[in-house]
Amino acid sequence: MKEQLEQLQVEALEEIKQASTQKSLNDVRIKYLGKKGPMTEVLRGMGKLSAEERPIIGELANTVRTAIQSTLNARIEEVKAIELEEKLNAETLDVTLPGRTSTPGHSHLLQQIIDEMEDLFVGLGYTIAEGPEVETDLYNFEMLNLPKDHPARDMQDSFYITEETLLRTHTSPVQARTMLEANGKPIRIICPGKVYRRDEDDATHSHQFMQIEGLVVDESISMADLKGTLEVFVKQLFGETREIRLRPSFFPFTEPSVEVDISCFKCGGKGCNVCKGTGWIEILGGGMVHPHVLEMAGYDSSKVSGFAFGIGVERMAMLKHGVDDIRHFYTNDLRFIEQF
């Protein structure tokens, strides 16, 4: 048995020396030191030895096993170092190559307009309110004085998910939700966000666009407050020389309602192709909050009043920067985006 152990050591050390990969070294380990290997067989046969031979053979077996294991570990480290060197040589980087520069990005034009308007209204004491884009019929229409049989719905009936759930057609549902949460307290908010309508896409219409709506509810709020607020907004966005004009209109959720025009920034009100010869350009709609809307939200319309307005972000961007097609905002053409 002594000669058998010594022969195993010689054979194992030779195979370890010849192995050149981690896999082959692992195979040698399993072959000689595994549960079914010759070392295990030798140790199992020690029960047949005499009491005098057993400690001698046991000590020799441990010595052989230790020699094989230590040699194996050392060889594994050598092979790892060789493989790493080969990998580094194969993946050598040429540090003389020029570096790759990244072009810094910037906010999209629509986001720039939103940020500018938010800064203005926050400076006027407004807070920013947000709500879900997937809305219920209750908040999108009914709480805004648009019952299910109201003909004004035809302009906004849009992308329905169920009979009572749809993609919101304006950010006005945020106003309704905020009024209910306010529980009769004063409100001064703006509501920015995406809205959806069943419009056919063309140069001035899109099935998805951005809105910022404003709402003020308090005691003694009048049309003069609305006009003054919109004058500040227009002069901030389009310049101090711009004037506004209010024209009577109709919206179910405001009474009285107005369309708001600004004096043409190209001709100064004289008449040109931009304003179609009128000297004025329509930019948004607004009015005094309908008493019924206030009552549904828990306010006493005999004691408080309010005004609301809705601004199309794309329209503001198109007018301010001379963009001729609303689709430019969504087609991700860098030649357009990098201009702003």
Side-chain angles (χ1 to χ4, degrees):
M1 190 170 287
K2 178 182 178 183
E3 291 78 9
Q4 186 179 357
L5 285 170
E6 291 174 345
Q7 182 63 30
L8 282 175
Q9 180 176 346
V10 171
E11 293 176 358
L13 296 182
E14 181 61 27
E15 288 195 33
I16 292 171
K17 182 179 178 181
Q18 297 297 325
S20 59
T21 65
Q22 293 185 60
K23 182 181 182 307
S24 59
L25 286 168
N26 188 55
D27 291 341
V28 172
R29 180 187 63 77
I30 293 172
K31 177 180 178 180
Y32 287 95
L33 304 180
K35 292 181 179 180
K36 297 181 180 180
M39 282 296 301
T40 302
E41 291 296 324
V42 170
L43 294 175
R44 284 175 180 170
M46 289 182 61
K48 301 177 182 179
L49 299 176
S50 63
E52 294 79 11
E53 292 179 311
R54 197 173 298 144
I56 298 173
I57 297 301
E59 182 180 358
L60 178 60
N62 287 333
T63 300
V64 171
R65 186 180 186 87
T66 301
I68 294 174
Q69 187 65 62
S70 60
T71 304
L72 191 62
N73 291 341
R75 182 58 179 162
I76 288 174
E77 294 302 318
E78 290 178 9
V79 169
K80 283 183 178 179
I82 293 171
E83 290 179 350
L84 178 60
E85 185 66 25
E86 291 175 349
K87 185 176 182 180
L88 290 174
N89 290 334
E91 298 178 358
T92 299
L93 298 176
D94 184 352
V95 295
T96 63
L97 288 173
R100 293 186 177 92
T101 58
S102 58
T103 304
H106 64 273
S107 295
H108 192 278
L109 176 57
L110 294 181
Q111 188 60 51
Q112 293 177 37
I113 296 293
I114 291 172
D115 290 342
E116 186 175 353
M117 288 194 281
E118 286 183 345
D119 288 344
L120 167 64
F121 284 107
V122 168
L124 293 175
Y126 288 67
T127 58
I128 299 171
E130 296 181 336
E133 293 179 22
V134 179
E135 257 302 354
T136 63
D137 187 272
L138 174 66
Y139 289 109
N140 196 79
F141 291 126
E142 294 179 45
M143 291 293 293
L144 301 172
N145 208 29
L146 280 160
K148 292 186 183 299
D149 58 350
H150 199 292
R153 281 198 181 204
D154 292 344
M155 298 175 61
Q156 292 193 23
D157 273 357
S158 189
F159 300 101
Y160 280 84
I161 299 169
T162 69
E163 289 188 3
E164 296 296 327
T165 309
L166 72 160
L167 297 179
R168 66 183 181 188
T169 59
H170 41 196
T171 57
S172 301
V174 182
Q175 298 181 8
R177 290 176 178 272
T178 304
M179 285 191 288
L180 285 171
E181 292 171 1
N183 197 27
K185 296 178 181 178
I187 292 174
R188 186 176 297 182
I189 61 169
I190 57 170
C191 319
K194 289 195 293 289
V195 299
Y196 308 83
R197 294 190 188 174
R198 197 179 55 209
D199 287 339
E200 293 189 13
D201 290 8
D202 57 28
T204 57
H205 297 84
S206 175
H207 63 280
Q208 172 190 306
F209 54 97
M210 305 290 291
Q211 263 193 349
I212 289 185
E213 295 194 11
L215 172 68
V216 173
V217 178
D218 206 340
E219 295 181 5
S220 303
I221 299 298
S222 69
M223 184 69 79
D225 297 309
L226 172 61
K227 184 174 185 291
T229 300
L230 294 178
E231 282 182 332
V232 171
F233 160 69
V234 165
K235 291 181 183 296
Q236 171 73 22
L237 203 66
F238 296 104
E240 289 294 327
T241 61
R242 299 280 69 77
E243 301 293 335
I244 70 169
R245 178 179 73 174
L246 306 184
R247 290 181 291 108
S249 186
F250 169 76
F251 302 111
F253 30 83
T254 54
E255 180 59 39
S257 304
V258 293
E259 296 284 359
V260 182
D261 304 331
I262 62 169
S263 56
C264 181
F265 42 80
K266 182 176 181 181
C267 66
K270 297 177 181 178
C272 66
N273 62 324
V274 174
C275 61
K276 300 178 181 178
T278 66
W280 298 92
I281 301 172
E282 180 185 324
I283 60 167
L284 59 93
M288 301 301 294
V289 180
H290 198 291
H292 190 208
V293 173
L294 291 173
E295 297 287 348
M296 285 190 291
Y299 287 90
D300 184 346
S301 62
S302 66
K303 296 180 180 180
V304 302
S305 56
F307 67 75
F309 56 85
I311 302 168
V313 177
E314 285 83 352
R315 182 158 180 76
M316 297 299 102
M318 292 174 77
L319 291 172
K320 184 171 184 178
H321 295 283
V323 178
D324 61 358
D325 195 321
I326 194 173
R327 289 168 290 196
H328 290 321
F329 296 121
Y330 306 111
T331 51
N332 299 323
D333 189 333
L334 288 177
R335 293 170 299 178
F336 171 78
I337 294 173
E338 289 175 347
Q339 296 179 61
F340 309 100

